[in-house]
């Protein structure tokens, strides 16, 4: 069991499969974005080896993310490898859903059981405005295919002031009345040179809870407020699904953090919002043994920072969200 120096069990690895994306969400990346050359990204074989070694170190949970992970040609094979790796008991995927219609069934067959789909609005024009390039029907087709394939569904919506902070939130939350899904609202986090825009447009949990309470009446708090992963869950009385709030800015959950992140170019990010990193690629490409790599992983776990420093104006400047994967 990999414990960090604060005695947290760090057992969850989020793997970014590519920094590239087929959308350009305004809060995530500029429209003119350059991506890393293919040879800088970890190869499929390097990723498979790392998944096995992280499991051997005590990691139990893996999530594939991006950029947009469905752009990685070997996604289904990598999911199959992860789900068959001894010690890994949970494999997830975070996607914008654009390509999910054709992938949901093969991913289920590869052993995937749940998907997190990012969807900020159900209004097609607004969806295009937020994602710059997106076509809402593609994503809804992906969502339907995921439900048909039998995948558990969580919808993630980043809320921005003046864009999707009222009617859109209500429409997304309404999904949970009939569907057994989690619809989670994420506070926008400041990154690098987009930080000022992100700080200006953040809408926090308390404000959203007030909007939803006005529409649906008092929501029922689930699990006594204990987080499910990073989300505080509520239920509209009688609803099939849950509403969740992921509030790293207004209600940080660093004390319960159990994760490391692996960027597509092989860097271990020890905290989403700090630039503390450990580079695995020189070991992978320099002939390091499995023992040397697991020792490196343990050391990285040990020095994981206690938490983010947003309250002290410390934020990530070296990489944006699309390079880390969320
Ligand atoms: N492309 C995939 C997707 O959109 O689901 C996976 C990668 S994306 C970076 C992962 C998540 O991060 C998405 O739910 C996205 O909305 C969220 N995200 C991006 N930028 C963010 C920011 N500045 N603050 C909070 N969440 C952000
Ligand atoms: Fe792409 Fe996801 Fe970033 Fe949107 S949030 S630009 S879909 S990586």
């Amino acid at each position: 069991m990999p414990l960090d120096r604060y005695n947290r069990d760090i057992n969850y690895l989020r793997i970014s499969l590519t920094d590239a994306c087929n959308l350009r969400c305004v809060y995530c990346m500029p429209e003119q974005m350059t991506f890393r050359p293919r040879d800088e990204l970890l190869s499929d074989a390097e990723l498979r080896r790392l998944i096995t070694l992280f499991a051997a170190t005590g990691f139990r949970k893996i999530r594939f993310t991006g950029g947009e992970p469905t752009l990685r040609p070997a996604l289904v094979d990598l999911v199959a490898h992860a789900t068959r790796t001894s010690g890994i008991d949970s494999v997830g995927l975070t996607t914008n859903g654009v390509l999910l219609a054709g992938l949901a069934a093969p991913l289920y067959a590869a052993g995937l059981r749940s998907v997190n789909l990012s969807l900020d609005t159900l209004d097609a024009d607004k969806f295009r405005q937020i994602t710059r390039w997106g076509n809402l029907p593609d994503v809804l087709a992906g969502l339907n295919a995921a439900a048909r394939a039998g995948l558990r569904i969580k919808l993630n919506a980043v809320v921005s002031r003046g864009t999707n902070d009222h009617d859109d939130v209500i429409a997304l939350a309404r999904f949970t009345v009939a569907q057994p899904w989690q619809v989670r609202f994420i506070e926008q986090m400041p990154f690098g040179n987009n930080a000022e825009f992100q700080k200006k447009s953040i809408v926090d949990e308390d404000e959203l809870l007030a909007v939803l309470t006005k529409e649906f009446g008092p929501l029922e708090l689930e699990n006594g407020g204990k987080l499910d992963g990073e989300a505080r869950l509520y239920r509209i009385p009688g609803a099939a699904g849950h509403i969740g709030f992921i509030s790293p800015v207004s209600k940080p959950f660093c004390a319960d953090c159990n994760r490391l992140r692996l960027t597509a170019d092989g860097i271990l990010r020890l905290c989403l919002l700090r630039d503390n990193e450990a580079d695995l690629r020189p070991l992978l490409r320099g002939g390091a043994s499995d023992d040397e790599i697991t020792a490196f992983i343990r050391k990285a776990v040990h020095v994981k920072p206690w938490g983010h420093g947003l309250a002290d104006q410390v934020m990530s400047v070296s990489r944006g969200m699309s390079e880390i994967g969320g």
Side-chain angles (χ1 to χ4, degrees), residues 265-283:
D265 55 330
I267 306 269
L268 271 181
R269 288 277 296 196
L270 308 184
C271 169
L272 173 61
L273 291 157
R274 283 187 190 267
D275 286 332
N276 306 49
E277 297 182 337
D279 192 352
L280 272 165
R281 213 174 44 184
L283 277 86

Side-chain angles (χ1 to χ4, degrees), residues 174-314:
R174 204 180 294 287
F175 261 143
T176 67
V177 173
Q179 301 291 352
W181 304 342
Q182 257 188 38
V183 173
R184 295 127 43 108
F185 299 108
I186 304 178
E187 287 180 351
Q188 211 167 117
M189 289 172 265
F191 277 91
N193 51 17
N194 215 5
E196 283 316 308
F197 162 78
Q198 286 149 343
K199 278 198 274 187
K200 255 194 282 173
S201 51
I202 182 179
V203 182
D204 70 21
E205 173 173 339
D206 290 348
E207 184 175 337
L208 288 179
L209 190 56
V211 168
L212 293 174
T213 302
K214 194 156 177 235
E215 179 69 21
F216 297 107
L219 305 186
E220 294 166 353
L221 182 65
E222 295 281 306
N223 308 325
K226 189 172 175 302
L227 298 188
D228 175 56
E230 61 279 72
R232 196 173 349 275
L233 296 185
Y234 288 82
R235 192 190 285 271
I236 298 171
H242 287 102
I243 293 168
F245 295 98
I246 301 180
S247 310
V249 182
S250 73
K251 301 181 201 293
F253 39 81
C254 305
D256 293 322
C257 187
N258 64 346
R259 63 201 63 183
L260 292 188
R261 295 173 168 85
L262 179 66
T263 66
D265 55 330
I267 306 269
L268 271 181
R269 288 277 296 196
L270 308 184
C271 169
L272 173 61
L273 291 157
R274 283 187 190 267
D275 286 332
N276 306 49
E277 297 182 337
D279 192 352
L280 272 165
R281 213 174 44 184
L283 277 86
L284 284 167
R285 299 198 174 166
S289 68
D290 288 355
D291 284 349
E292 284 167 326
I293 293 178
T294 46
F296 185 90
I297 295 169
R298 280 185 206 286
K299 196 163 158 216
V301 165
H302 183 70
V303 299
K304 179 177 163 64
W306 185 82
H308 69 61
L310 291 182
D312 302 320
Q313 303 306 315
V314 177

Side-chain angles (χ1 to χ4, degrees), residues 3-326:
L3 294 181
D4 74 358
R5 64 199 144 135
Y6 306 104
N7 237 16
R8 292 174 297 192
D9 180 8
I10 310 300
N11 55 26
Y12 177 13
L13 180 68
R14 300 172 64 107
I15 301 177
S16 170
L17 294 180
T18 173
D19 58 335
C21 190
N22 44 6
L23 299 182
R24 293 289 185 277
C25 302
V26 289
Y27 47 74
C28 184
M29 61 167 93
E31 186 157 20
Q32 305 305 327
M33 184 75 181
T34 38
F35 299 113
R36 288 176 198 281
R38 184 70 189 83
D39 64 340
E40 281 188 18
L41 306 189
L42 296 186
S43 68
D44 298 339
E46 286 169 331
L47 282 168
R48 280 195 294 269
R49 181 178 182 206
L50 281 182
I51 289 168
T52 306
L53 292 178
F54 271 91
T57 315
F59 280 67
R60 297 280 162 268
K61 183 172 173 185
I62 285 184
R63 170 168 300 280
F64 293 109
T65 175
E68 177 46 42
T70 57
L71 295 180
R72 180 103 186 192
L75 172 66
V76 174
D77 291 344
L78 289 167
V79 165
H81 175 80
T83 57
R84 286 181 206 134
T85 297
S86 161
I88 298 298
D89 51 32
S90 164
V91 177
L93 173 73
T94 299
T95 173
N96 61 29
V98 169
L99 299 175
L100 195 57
L103 279 167
L107 284 167
Y108 188 90
L112 192 76
R113 291 295 174 266
S114 71
V115 69
N116 288 8
L117 197 153
S118 303
L119 182 57
D120 299 336
T121 177
L122 296 174
D123 175 312
D125 292 336
K126 219 181 269 186
F127 184 78
R128 170 59 59 97
Q129 183 194 327
I130 294 171
T131 61
R132 292 199 185 97
W133 296 359
N135 184 24
L136 182 64
D138 295 343
V139 177
L140 296 179
L143 175 60
N144 288 332
R148 266 199 316 275
L151 293 166
R152 278 192 308 281
I153 291 171
K154 294 181 183 172
L155 297 181
N156 289 337
V158 172
V159 184
S160 297
R161 185 165 309 286
T163 304
N164 62 339
D165 53 351
H166 194 270
D167 296 359
D168 311 80
V169 165
I170 291 170
L172 286 165
R174 204 180 294 287
F175 261 143
T176 67
V177 173
Q179 301 291 352
W181 304 342
Q182 257 188 38
V183 173
R184 295 127 43 108
F185 299 108
I186 304 178
E187 287 180 351
Q188 211 167 117
M189 289 172 265
F191 277 91
N193 51 17
N194 215 5
E196 283 316 308
F197 162 78
Q198 286 149 343
K199 278 198 274 187
K200 255 194 282 173
S201 51
I202 182 179
V203 182
D204 70 21
E205 173 173 339
D206 290 348
E207 184 175 337
L208 288 179
L209 190 56
V211 168
L212 293 174
T213 302
K214 194 156 177 235
E215 179 69 21
F216 297 107
L219 305 186
E220 294 166 353
L221 182 65
E222 295 281 306
N223 308 325
K226 189 172 175 302
L227 298 188
D228 175 56
E230 61 279 72
R232 196 173 349 275
L233 296 185
Y234 288 82
R235 192 190 285 271
I236 298 171
H242 287 102
I243 293 168
F245 295 98
I246 301 180
S247 310
V249 182
S250 73
K251 301 181 201 293
F253 39 81
C254 305
D256 293 322
C257 187
N258 64 346
R259 63 201 63 183
L260 292 188
R261 295 173 168 85
L262 179 66
T263 66
D265 55 330
I267 306 269
L268 271 181
R269 288 277 296 196
L270 308 184
C271 169
L272 173 61
L273 291 157
R274 283 187 190 267
D275 286 332
N276 306 49
E277 297 182 337
D279 192 352
L280 272 165
R281 213 174 44 184
L283 277 86
L284 284 167
R285 299 198 174 166
S289 68
D290 288 355
D291 284 349
E292 284 167 326
I293 293 178
T294 46
F296 185 90
I297 295 169
R298 280 185 206 286
K299 196 163 158 216
V301 165
H302 183 70
V303 299
K304 179 177 163 64
W306 185 82
H308 69 61
L310 291 182
D312 302 320
Q313 303 306 315
V314 177
M315 55 197 86
S316 168
V317 288
S318 68
R319 288 166 192 271
M321 190 67 140
S322 64
E323 291 181 274
I324 309 169

